[in-house]
Amino acid sequence: MRSASEDRTARATIRDEALRLFAAHGPDKVTVRQIATAAEVSPGLVVHHFGSKDGLRAECDRWAVETFENLLGELTREEGGATWAPEPTGSLHEALVRHLPADSPLPGYLRRLLLSDEEAGRLLFRRLYEVSRAALDDLARAGRAEPGPDPAVRAALLLANDLAVLLLREHLADVLGVDPLTREGMARWAPEVLDLYAVGLGATPRAPEEGA
Amino acid sequence: MRSASEDRTARATIRDEALRLFAAHGPDKVTVRQIATAAEVSPGLVVHHFGSKDGLRAECDRWAVETFENLLGELTREEGGATWAPEPTGSLHEALVRHLPADSPLPGYLRRLLLSDEEAGRLLFRRLYEVSRAALDDLARAGRAEPGPDPAVRAALLLANDLAVLLLREHLADVLGVDPLTREGMARWAPEVLDLYAVGLGATPRAPEEGA
DNA sequence: TAACGTATTGAACATGCGTTCAGCTTCGGA
DNA sequence: TCCGAAGCTGAACGCATGTTCAATACGTTA
């Protein structure tokens, strides 16, 4: 028996491949046999390790949420004592780009979770909303933003705007010619968000001096 | 044989029910038998009228895109000669709320189209992006907005922000307690967007005088 | 070494799916 | 009035899927 610390057991391989396939195509479109083939095992072994396809999906959900929470924790620690501000200092999608390898299945999996009608997706969104509200509060206390007359909606708006990049990633990459969830794409996306959040649409303070 | 103008043929009923079910649960989760039951016909009739389930889905796609294009045309006509400005004067989701009955399956269907990896979804997004770019150009010409150093990204950003409401509708309704795709929800959402686009996050010019 | 539990396989099974088809009904036009 | 096409049904078919299961290989433990 391979020890649990050595993370290349067949079980771990199955989960990783499932994660990748689920994120890319959605659990409904992916068959147990596809996962088994990708992990180079038999279909029977998949269900032996995870009870059922749904059990495997639940395990992937768990992994995704846990990994994401760890990332959130890292960010909070980076920022010092205060709660981490995802908006607009560091957006969520910026955090994903910076702390994850380029081929990580996590963004895609979180996207799928948010779009599914699973309970886990609802919980994830509520969690993100709480973070967004807390961040807006912090920003307001620091005098860097106004909470506005309706802080609940403002926090939701900021969150939705941020998540839009994650949800529309492929479409945006399509029309812009660059994937916004890469360093290169973020270099074009982030300044525009900063401008918008700083002064709205009316004026642009930063002169376009340096190209690329 | 009932005439084609009388739009309550079994064929039309099937398409309407399919539209509703597809929008709500996605075509993969909906079976031909469910559609047949909802339309009070036999499963055989569904495939008799549309060739196959996929043919029915394609017909729904066609209907949705066509209906949406008509709506876009209406809006352009409303605004006078110039191209319609979906941002920020009238957002897309605002247009949907105003011109569609509350129980219309169109918003949900468009959402599903945008999130599917069908070609129709990509075409729809490209179309929306073109509209967004044209609108930003118009706004810039009218001196009501700056195109910024990177107009392509700015237009994409505005579009993504707008679509976020459509994509996250249920989550937002969940945390805010009000569906943003209703008149009531829009009454809370729209002012916040206006503020953001007018002056950014820094200050709020409009005093919160009147309640409700 | 013997016993045992775990990892693993490949074939088989049950089910739900989209689809087919033969036959019945309905109804407009010759 | 009769015919033929279209609307429509219910049962059946074929297939892919998730799942089960008996059997085998292997490493650990007594």
Side-chain angles (χ1 to χ4, degrees):
Chain A
M1 173 167 45
R2 279 152 270 184
S3 79
S5 65
E6 175 190 352
D7 201 16
R8 291 315 290 169
T9 61
R11 185 188 157 92
T13 305
I14 292 170
R15 196 208 49 203
D16 290 348
E17 292 299 323
L19 224 17
R20 192 176 54 80
L21 288 168
F22 284 167
H25 311 292
D28 295 337
K29 299 263 193 184
V30 177
T31 72
V32 171
R33 278 166 241 261
Q34 280 178 285
I35 299 169
T37 301
E40 292 176 296
V41 297
S42 70
L45 190 62
V46 174
V47 73
H48 171 253
H49 276 303
F50 298 94
S52 64
K53 182 189 179 181
D54 202 64
L56 173 56
R57 210 225 47 236
E59 176 85 6
C60 289
D61 284 6
R62 259 191 5 85
W63 180 90
V65 170
E66 184 186 316
T67 305
F68 177 69
E69 285 293 342
N70 288 345
L71 192 144
L72 229 52
E74 267 186 52
L75 293 170
T76 311
R77 240 170 287 121
E78 268 183 19
E79 286 291 312
T83 32
W84 174 64
E87 309 284 352
T89 331
S91 67
L92 179 68
H93 100 260
E94 201 174 333
L96 291 177
V97 173
R98 262 216 275 266
H99 289 74
L100 257 30
D103 61 344
S104 169
L106 191 59
Y109 201 91
L110 293 177
R111 171 182 186 270
R112 198 201 58 73
L113 253 187
L114 286 170
L115 294 175
S116 77
D117 42 11
E118 291 175 47
E119 182 62 14
R122 260 192 47 228
L123 289 173
L124 176 60
F125 187 84
R126 296 192 91 98
R127 176 84 174 93
L128 287 169
Y129 178 66
E130 284 163 23
V131 171
S132 186
R133 286 213 67 162
L136 182 58
D137 282 352
D138 283 359
L139 243 40
R141 255 195 298 277
R144 292 199 291 155
E146 284 289 333
D150 199 338
V153 169
R154 175 157 286 198
L157 175 66
L158 294 174
L159 174 60
N161 287 357
D162 196 9
L163 288 179
V165 187
L166 184 64
L167 302 182
L168 295 170
R169 175 181 189 173
E170 284 187 32
H171 284 312
L172 291 171
D174 197 23
V175 298
L176 293 179
V178 58
D179 183 350
L181 257 71
T182 58
R183 265 158 242 263
E184 186 194 356
M186 215 175 54
R188 287 187 63 191
W189 192 266
E192 212 63 46
V193 176
L194 276 179
D195 268 12
L196 181 63
Y197 287 174
V199 297
L201 286 178
T204 303
R206 52 171 57 200
E209 297 163 24
E210 12 183 19
Chain B
M1 171 165 49
R2 277 152 273 185
S3 81
S5 65
E6 175 191 352
D7 202 14
R8 290 316 288 172
T9 61
R11 184 188 158 93
T13 306
I14 292 170
R15 195 207 50 203
D16 290 348
E17 292 300 322
L19 224 19
R20 193 177 53 82
L21 288 168
F22 285 167
H25 309 111
D28 296 339
K29 299 263 193 184
V30 177
T31 71
V32 170
R33 280 167 239 261
Q34 281 178 284
I35 299 169
T37 301
E40 294 176 296
V41 298
S42 70
L45 191 61
V46 174
V47 70
H48 171 253
H49 275 305
F50 298 95
S52 66
K53 182 188 179 182
D54 203 64
L56 173 55
R57 209 224 49 237
E59 176 84 6
C60 289
D61 284 7
R62 257 194 1 90
W63 180 90
V65 169
E66 184 187 316
T67 305
F68 178 69
E69 286 291 343
N70 287 344
L71 193 143
L72 230 53
E74 266 186 53
L75 293 169
T76 310
R77 242 169 286 121
E78 266 182 22
E79 286 291 315
T83 31
W84 175 62
E87 308 285 352
T89 331
S91 66
L92 179 67
H93 99 260
E94 202 174 331
L96 291 177
V97 172
R98 262 217 273 267
H99 290 75
L100 258 29
D103 61 343
S104 169
L106 191 60
Y109 201 91
L110 293 177
R111 171 181 186 268
R112 197 201 58 71
L113 253 187
L114 286 171
L115 294 174
S116 76
D117 42 11
E118 292 174 47
E119 181 63 14
R122 260 189 50 228
L123 288 174
L124 176 60
F125 188 84
R126 296 193 91 98
R127 176 84 173 91
L128 287 169
Y129 178 66
E130 283 162 23
V131 171
S132 185
R133 287 213 66 164
L136 183 58
D137 281 352
D138 283 359
L139 244 38
R141 256 194 297 276
R144 293 199 291 156
E146 284 289 333
D150 199 337
V153 169
R154 175 156 288 198
L157 175 65
L158 294 175
L159 174 60
N161 288 357
D162 195 10
L163 288 179
V165 188
L166 184 65
L167 302 182
L168 295 169
R169 174 181 190 172
E170 285 186 31
H171 285 314
L172 292 170
D174 196 23
V175 299
L176 293 179
V178 57
D179 183 349
L181 257 70
T182 59
R183 266 156 241 262
E184 186 192 355
M186 215 177 54
R188 286 186 65 191
W189 192 266
E192 211 63 46
V193 176
L194 275 180
D195 268 11
L196 182 63
Y197 288 173
V199 297
L201 286 178
T204 303
R206 50 170 58 202
E209 298 163 24
E210 5 181 23

